Every structure is written in C-alpha cells, then in structure tokens.
Amino acid sequence: MRAELAAGHRLVGTFVKLANADVVEMAAYAGFDFVVVDLEHSTLGEADAIGLVRHAEVCGIPALVRVPAVEPALIARLLENGAAGIQLSMLRTAEQARRLVAATRFAPSGERSVSLANRVAGFGATSLRDFLQSEAEAPPMLVGQIETAIAEPWPDVLHGLDVAFVGTTDLSVSLGLPSSDELSAQVERVASAARAAGAAFGGWSASVDAASAQGLAGAGYLIVGSDLQILAAGLRAARSPGHGN
C-alpha cells in the first residue's frame, strides 16, 4: 500500500463493522484494495478484529484497524496477528502521533514490546534478527484521522504518518456545521499539509462518485462507506416498491 500511494495510485477501501468474515472476502472479490476493521464505531471486540485481520490475509487483501486511542498492548496484539496498519481517530496533537509511532515501531525507532510467540513471527520459527529486519523494512501503515481544527504545527502532527485522513463528518460537527465552502477550505488545509509532510491524503466518502464534491478528488487513500452502510442501502433499495418486479 505504501508503495502504491507513493506512486500516486488511488487505493479504495471500506470500513468493516460486522464480525462475519464473509464481509472481508466479499470486499476482496468486489475489487477493494484494503479494508479497515473498525474498533471505534462498531460492536466488534478485539477477538473479532483479529479474526477479520487473519481472514483478510488469507483473502489477499490488507486489513488495517481503526482504534479510538493509542493503547500499546492492544496495538501490539493486532500487529502480531497481521494487521497491515493502524488508523487512529481524532488525531489532534504531535504527542498523539509520537505515541502512535512509538507503539508500532521497535527500538530504537519506537517503544513496541518484542515477542516472537505470534503468527507474524511464525510462532518462534523466525529469528529475532530476521523479524526485526522485516518489520523495519516494511513497518505498519499509520493513518491519522484529522477531525478537528489543528492548533499545533502540521509537520509535527503528521510526523511519522503515512496518511493524513480527513474525517469530514466529525470535522464539520467540530466546526459548528460550517458552510460547504468553509468545510472545503478546511479539507484543503489537510490536503496541503499532507503534501508538505510527504504523507498521502485520505478521507471518507459515501461513494467514489461523491468524493470530488467533498474535496477528496486528490485523495489517494479513499474509504467509501462501510459494510453496514452498503448493506442497509441495499436492503432499503430491495424493499422499495417495484424493485425486482
């Protein structure tokens, strides 16, 4: 994913909020580039998230996990089970970004605790040196969600992150439901900050077609809808008068 984003390619994913592994498999068959297992706005637990991450690997689709806060032990377990990266909600400060980087990188680059008794390390079959080298060469993707006004310098807030992701819904609420022009200006600030920091720009939209109207035409990391949203829309459409007659 990191190489594709660096090459300027758009990657399209969706949030996964249901515990059924079929959802991940259907996303892969539908042509999504990645999924984000949602531990913020869902009823999923840690075991559910790990099961979805492991099934995603079998299906050949990267699975990141969205977390509401930096919890080093939880993040370590997610990564040890194959999560492609971590997406942190409500990123506001440079200290939050620093803690996220530290929780996902081994020393000397971070503070992540090391264990070889996990599936990524082959349950001990991989040597410590090889494991550390592999992690250093391809560290987890890090995505920071910008959902409020940022008071600190952008380079500090985005330091070490791969993607600056604008959460337009929360951003709009935090700004007091501004006009569409005012919101677009805020979204452009995030996009500009991402470019200046050498990070990819990302965001959420209900669909790929709707992304441009939200200022996400240049988003390389685009999340569209969620499994719940797509299912609900399909159910409503199926129930509409005249559908399928």
Coordinates of all heavy atoms in Angstrom, one line a residue, residues 70 72-73 76 95 98-114:
V70 N -4.5 5.4 21.4 CA -3.3 4.7 21.4 C -3.2 3.8 22.6 O -2.9 4.3 23.7 CB -2.1 5.6 21.3 CG1 -0.8 4.7 21.3 CG2 -2.1 6.4 20.0
P72 N -0.9 0.7 23.5 CA 0.2 0.0 23.0 C 0.0 -1.5 23.1 O 0.4 -2.2 22.1 CB 1.4 0.4 23.9 CG 1.0 1.8 24.3 CD -0.5 1.8 24.5
A73 N -0.5 -2.1 24.1 CA -0.7 -3.5 24.2 C -1.7 -4.1 23.2 O -1.4 -5.1 22.5 CB -1.1 -4.0 25.6
A76 N -0.1 -3.8 19.7 CA 0.9 -4.9 19.5 C 0.2 -6.2 19.2 O 0.7 -6.9 18.2 CB 1.7 -5.0 20.8
E95 N 1.9 14.9 20.1 CA 2.2 13.9 21.1 C 1.4 12.6 20.8 O 1.9 11.5 20.9 CB 1.8 14.4 22.5 CG 1.9 13.4 23.6 CD 3.3 12.8 23.7 OE1 4.3 13.4 23.3 OE2 3.4 11.7 24.3
R98 N 3.3 10.9 18.0 CA 4.5 10.3 18.6 C 4.2 9.0 19.3 O 4.9 8.0 19.1 CB 5.2 11.3 19.5 CG 6.6 10.8 20.0 CD 7.0 11.4 21.3 NE 6.1 10.9 22.4 CZ 6.3 9.7 23.0 NH1 7.2 8.8 22.5 NH2 5.5 9.3 24.0
R99 N 3.1 9.0 20.1 CA 2.8 7.8 20.8 C 2.3 6.7 19.8 O 2.6 5.5 20.1 CB 1.7 8.1 21.8 CG 2.2 8.9 23.0 CD 1.3 8.9 24.2 NE 0.2 9.8 23.9 CZ -1.1 9.5 23.7 NH1 -1.4 8.2 23.8 NH2 -2.0 10.4 23.5
L100 N 1.7 7.0 18.7 CA 1.3 6.0 17.7 C 2.5 5.4 17.1 O 2.6 4.2 16.9 CB 0.4 6.7 16.7 CG -0.1 5.8 15.5 CD1 -0.9 4.6 16.1 CD2 -0.9 6.6 14.5
V101 N 3.4 6.3 16.7 CA 4.6 5.7 16.1 C 5.4 4.9 17.0 O 5.8 3.8 16.7 CB 5.5 6.9 15.6 CG1 6.9 6.4 15.1 CG2 4.9 7.7 14.5
A102 N 5.5 5.3 18.3 CA 6.2 4.5 19.3 C 5.6 3.2 19.5 O 6.3 2.2 19.7 CB 6.3 5.3 20.6
A103 N 4.3 3.1 19.5 CA 3.6 1.9 19.8 C 3.7 0.9 18.6 O 3.4 -0.3 18.8 CB 2.1 2.1 20.1
T104 N 4.1 1.3 17.5 CA 4.1 0.4 16.3 C 5.5 0.2 15.7 O 5.7 -0.5 14.7 CB 3.3 1.1 15.1 OG1 3.8 2.3 14.8 CG2 1.8 1.2 15.6
R105 N 6.5 0.7 16.4 CA 7.9 0.6 15.9 C 8.7 0.0 17.1 O 8.6 0.4 18.2 CB 8.5 1.9 15.5 CG 7.7 2.6 14.4 CD 7.8 1.9 13.1 NE 7.2 2.7 12.0 CZ 6.0 2.7 11.5 NH1 5.1 1.8 12.1 NH2 5.6 3.4 10.5
F106 N 9.6 -0.9 16.7 CA 10.6 -1.5 17.7 C 11.7 -0.5 17.9 O 12.0 0.3 17.1 CB 11.1 -2.8 17.3 CG 10.0 -3.9 17.2 CD1 9.7 -4.5 16.0 CD2 9.3 -4.3 18.3 CE1 8.8 -5.5 15.9 CE2 8.4 -5.3 18.3 CZ 8.1 -5.9 17.0
A107 N 12.4 -0.6 19.1 CA 13.6 0.2 19.4 C 14.6 0.0 18.3 O 14.7 -1.1 17.7 CB 14.1 -0.1 20.7
P108 N 15.4 1.0 17.9 CA 15.5 2.3 18.5 C 14.4 3.3 18.0 O 14.4 4.5 18.4 CB 16.9 2.8 18.2 CG 17.2 2.1 16.9 CD 16.5 0.8 16.9
S109 N 13.6 2.9 17.0 CA 12.7 3.8 16.4 C 11.4 4.0 17.2 O 10.7 5.0 17.0 CB 12.3 3.3 15.0 OG 13.4 3.2 14.2
G110 N 11.1 3.1 18.1 CA 9.9 3.2 18.9 C 10.0 2.5 20.2 O 11.1 2.2 20.7
E111 N 8.9 2.1 20.8 CA 8.8 1.5 22.1 C 8.0 0.2 22.1 O 7.6 -0.2 23.2 CB 8.2 2.5 23.1 CG 9.0 3.8 23.2 CD 8.2 4.9 23.9 OE1 7.1 4.7 24.4 OE2 8.7 6.1 23.9
R112 N 7.7 -0.3 21.0 CA 6.9 -1.5 20.9 C 7.6 -2.7 21.5 O 8.8 -2.9 21.3 CB 6.6 -1.8 19.4 CG 5.7 -3.1 19.2 CD 5.5 -3.3 17.7 NE 5.0 -4.6 17.4 CZ 4.9 -5.1 16.2 NH1 5.2 -4.3 15.1 NH2 4.4 -6.3 16.0
S113 N 6.9 -3.4 22.4 CA 7.5 -4.6 23.0 C 7.6 -5.8 22.0 O 6.8 -5.9 21.1 CB 6.5 -5.1 24.1 OG 7.1 -6.2 24.8
V114 N 8.7 -6.5 22.1 CA 9.0 -7.6 21.2 C 8.6 -8.9 21.7 O 8.9 -9.3 22.9 CB 10.5 -7.6 20.8 CG1 10.8 -8.7 19.8 CG2 11.0 -6.2 20.4

